[in-house]
Amino acid sequence: MHDYLATLNEQQKEAVLYTEGPLMIVAGAGSGKTKVLTTRIAHLIQGGIDSFRILALTFTNKAAREMKERIESILGNSEARNLYIGTFHSVFARVLRVEAERMGYPSNFTIYDTEDAKSLIKSIVKERNLDDKVYKASYVYNRISSAKNNLYTYKEYKEDHNIQQEDARSNRPQIGEIFETYSKRCFKNGAMDFDDLLVNTYILLTNFPEVLSKYQHKFQYVMIDEYQDTNLAQYHIVKLLSAMHENICVVGDDAQSIYSFRGASMENIFQFQKDYEDVKIIKLEQNYRSTGTILNAANEVISKNENQIKKELWTDKESGEKIKLVCSFTDNDEGKFVADAIMEQKLRNHFSNKDFVILYRTNAQSRAFEESLRRLGILYRIYGGMSFYHRKEIKDYVAYLRIIVNSQDEESMKRIINYPARGIGQTSLNKISLAAQEQNKSFFEMLSEAASIGIKGSTLSTIHDFVTAVKHFQSIAEKKNAYEIAMEIGKQFGVLKDLNSDKTIEGLAKYENIQELLNSIKEYTETPDEEGELTDKPLGTYLQQITLLTDADQNADEEQDCVKLMTVHASKGLEFPNVFVVGMEENIFPSSMSMYDRADLEEERRLFYVAITRARENVWISYANNRYRFGSLISNDPSRFIEELPTHLVDASLAKKAAFKTTTFTSNKTKNDTVQQKKIPSKPASNYVPSSDFIADEPGKMQAGMQVEHQRFGIGTIVTLEGAIANKVATIDFGTMGQKKIMLNYAKLRIMN
DNA sequence: TGCGCAGGTGTTTTT
DNA sequence: CACCTGCGCA
């Protein structure tokens, strides 16, 4: 083992060596906090601390995995595998699996993701005959979620005067009632949502002193990364767990607090200093990541915030290139610019694809960049958005696995009882669901007694067959391994057959996804457990794991040489040589939702700060004058944050040049319209603006058999044309992209010769 | 009961 | 533009 202290600076070293008592590390962006954390843990283990007694909580699964690997490489042995390290959610899901039965939950409880939770809320709103436009599932969910993050039970929620007034004012006085039903229903289903994992951990630790004592003893050292993004529930859990040894070390940066919408509160940082009299505070202020220019620009931006801990981030790196400000005419032009710039940088400065990241405020902004990168043949990968395990076909399959593991789970039961279609309709389901509630039985129990509530004929026998099959799998669930069971379920219930019969491109993709799911289960069953033994692993653990996985956690093709696209949120903790921060416009960044409140706006500014500080060498800040939104063109002013960058650090030549850039127009009606040269107008001159090198042909000219080019799908052949002249739909075969139905009136297609 | 179509509606950010 | 929902028809 090498001398792990040698590469640390004074403050870093101090933080590593200060192991006893409460410690807060205020770590600026790029100041080596992961290095400090991993070295600190390695140092503890090296000093004889039992690795089983160290708890480290991170913000993402990926961060946890990487930390584990780094600790292993410092130590040169496999001690790190014994650490309790992971996200709050995954670590406490693991704890709850052991302890949940004390609270009346099955140890195989199901974890509901946001989609599951919203669908349950939806059905409760429906049952109560409330207007689902007023009681929108997402609104109600957010309301319940933030209550839980602040440790409100439904009872407290209903009794809280302020909350009741808020709900009354928003004309949604029933939210408390929905909250109550929702909580009871989750409990009855043997299910916890994301927030419950924290809330129930808190309840467990406060209501069961013997449990608290057990984990307090166990965790001799507690470390928390990204402390600025913890919420009240997490704060209390951590405080309880570390109360005995008080060897608690938190690492955070108030300037990077960007999750308040999820209940996170920077207050926790200030509170930490009040909670412990003997708290030690170490600031890491040397930045090892970015050039002087980037760092100075970032410092300047964040200094506009009122609410912050003062610190002075510095670097001894050279100043480097100026920040490049880019203005494009439309969002498509912006995409094209970025792709071109990447191409140019690759050729000129020998960068490869993986040296670039495109950061945007919202997931929906990725499209223009996908198109332009694809057109130049640049490999890219989008992080975020829909994770693999959230795809519909995967969730359906997973729902089968869930009910085998936990038959109380009504949501999952409803999801698949008639998939593939077997003739159990909505009417019967409503009947059963209602009866189950009245008789206080689980949905599954009620299914077994369907005859007693007047269900008969073929529906009854289908239900009977279904119940028998489920019971069969439950009975063998203990004996066979997870992969075999999953495989057989697919066969037995006709899921595999159903997917296999769909020969469309989408259908094939779905089938492949299911194969991938099955492979992942197989891999899971074949991976040795923590003691290195190859035991038959329970399906329940697998299911809990995958629900807590996000897209960013998938690292299968991590090493592929791709340009990365992601939201600024998703980029936290990462670094890249070249960063494009795009869509820097009012209403987008800052978001229109966050412009009218100082605290919200400051969070947007911190977000911008996070974006800039991801970069090692180059930053481009880009905005477009016009962009498509809901299918029509809108125009935004450049973001106010651009003005906050010091002008001497910004190269604005690309923004000025764009003002005289030639843009190609084609009119909607007549082809071969004269190409106009224009200065950038502040409002769109035309409703139809294709990217400049692409001239669409008239819809009327399209004929079957023609080769056409589509800006997103590439080159394809028109298979059929259907519909009236005003509303023609073409089926076009784009080869590897599959067959697409395209509305000619909307799509821009160019005829190839 | 199941599928197809027309129309309405929607964009923060995520464990 | 893309998705989802609700409604109408077989």
Side-chain angles (χ1 to χ4, degrees), chain A residues 260 305 307 594 596-606:
Chain A
S260 73
N305 273 5
N307 189 12
S594 315
Y596 305 102
D597 179 282
R598 161 150 256 116
D600 287 347
L601 185 64
E602 291 205 346
E603 178 146 321
E604 295 283 311
R605 190 177 282 111
R606 291 193 292 272

Side-chain angles (χ1 to χ4, degrees), chain A residues 472-746:
Chain A
H472 163 69
F473 279 108
Q474 284 170 348
S475 72
I476 63 165
E478 301 289 312
K479 296 174 205 129
K480 294 197 172 180
N481 83 32
Y483 174 68
E484 284 170 53
I485 292 171
M487 198 69 193
E488 272 180 50
I489 283 173
K491 285 183 199 155
Q492 183 90 23
F493 289 96
V495 185
L496 290 175
K497 198 176 145 208
D498 178 75
L499 286 165
N500 205 14
S501 66
D502 185 350
K503 294 296 181 198
T504 62
I505 303 289
E506 290 85 358
L508 260 95
K510 282 181 188 174
Y511 191 74
E512 275 170 26
N513 286 338
I514 296 299
Q515 293 307 326
E516 206 175 319
L517 173 73
L518 290 168
N519 283 340
S520 96
I521 299 174
K522 192 166 186 196
E523 197 187 318
Y524 163 80
T525 57
E526 288 172 357
T527 309
D529 66 11
E530 317 230 309
E531 280 78 42
E533 274 177 60
L534 196 63
T535 48
D536 269 353
K537 296 220 211 122
L539 199 49
T541 319
Y542 173 79
L543 292 175
Q544 292 187 355
Q545 272 178 28
I546 63 170
T547 313
L548 296 172
L549 240 38
T550 63
D551 187 49
D553 295 324
Q554 229 91 27
N555 76 336
D557 45 8
E558 188 85 277
E559 288 315 308
Q560 255 199 34
D561 186 28
C562 294
V563 172
K564 295 186 170 75
L565 284 76
M566 64 183 83
T567 62
V568 183
H569 281 90
S571 77
K572 201 174 70 160
L574 307 177
E575 61 174 51
F576 304 87
N578 302 294
V579 172
F580 292 86
V581 189
V582 300
M584 284 303 298
E585 294 145 41
E586 291 287 292
N587 298 315
I588 294 178
F589 201 170
S591 151
S592 56
M593 320 283 287
S594 315
M595 294 203 313
Y596 305 102
D597 179 282
R598 161 150 256 116
D600 287 347
L601 185 64
E602 291 205 346
E603 178 146 321
E604 295 283 311
R605 190 177 282 111
R606 291 193 292 272
L607 196 54
F608 184 47
Y609 174 82
V610 167
I612 300 172
T613 53
R614 295 312 93 201
R616 285 208 284 261
E617 296 174 37
N618 293 296
V619 174
W620 285 259
I621 307 270
S622 161
Y623 64 97
N625 294 114
N626 305 287
R627 76 174 53 238
Y628 278 95
R629 207 182 180 211
F630 302 145
S632 60
L633 210 55
I634 56 152
S635 59
N636 292 314
D637 291 330
S639 168
R640 67 189 69 189
F641 296 145
I642 292 176
E643 293 160 29
E644 295 176 4
L645 296 163
T647 46
H648 69 281
L649 300 179
V650 176
D651 172 4
S653 60
L654 284 163
K656 293 195 188 97
K657 220 166 81 190
F660 299 99
K661 195 180 105 182
T662 315
T663 307
T664 311
F665 290 92
T666 24
S667 150
N668 242 342
K669 297 163 196 109
T670 39
K671 200 193 153 197
N672 297 332
D673 212 357
T674 39
V675 172
Q676 306 166 26
Q677 287 216 334
K678 273 203 168 265
K679 278 188 184 176
I680 288 248
S682 61
K683 294 282 172 208
S686 156
N687 239 5
Y688 178 67
V689 187
S691 61
S692 46
D693 70 332
F694 183 97
I695 300 173
D697 286 291
E698 268 185 77
K701 293 201 164 184
M702 303 298 159
Q703 277 174 19
M706 271 181 172
Q707 274 226 318
V708 292
E709 185 191 353
H710 181 275
Q711 287 192 84
R712 192 141 61 92
F713 298 128
I715 294 169
T717 311
I718 301 182
V719 183
T720 56
L721 281 172
E722 292 149 334
I725 296 167
N727 222 350
K728 257 188 192 163
V729 177
T731 305
I732 303 176
D733 187 350
F734 287 105
T736 50
M737 291 296 301
Q739 285 208 354
K740 306 275 175 191
K741 291 209 177 214
I742 290 184
M743 308 271 288
L744 290 184
N745 271 359
Y746 294 107

Side-chain angles (χ1 to χ4, degrees), chain A residues 419-463:
Chain A
Y419 167 77
R422 46 174 79 89
I424 305 175
Q426 200 56 51
T427 327
S428 311
L429 290 186
N430 289 346
K431 244 189 232 174
I432 293 160
S433 189
L434 200 69
Q437 276 164 64
E438 279 167 0
Q439 303 182 28
N440 202 22
K441 287 177 177 157
S442 81
F443 186 82
F444 188 61
E445 282 173 297
M446 211 60 233
L447 273 182
S448 318
E449 304 165 21
S452 71
I453 51 169
I455 289 172
K456 44 185 175 288
S458 67
T459 310
L460 183 64
S461 66
T462 312
I463 289 177

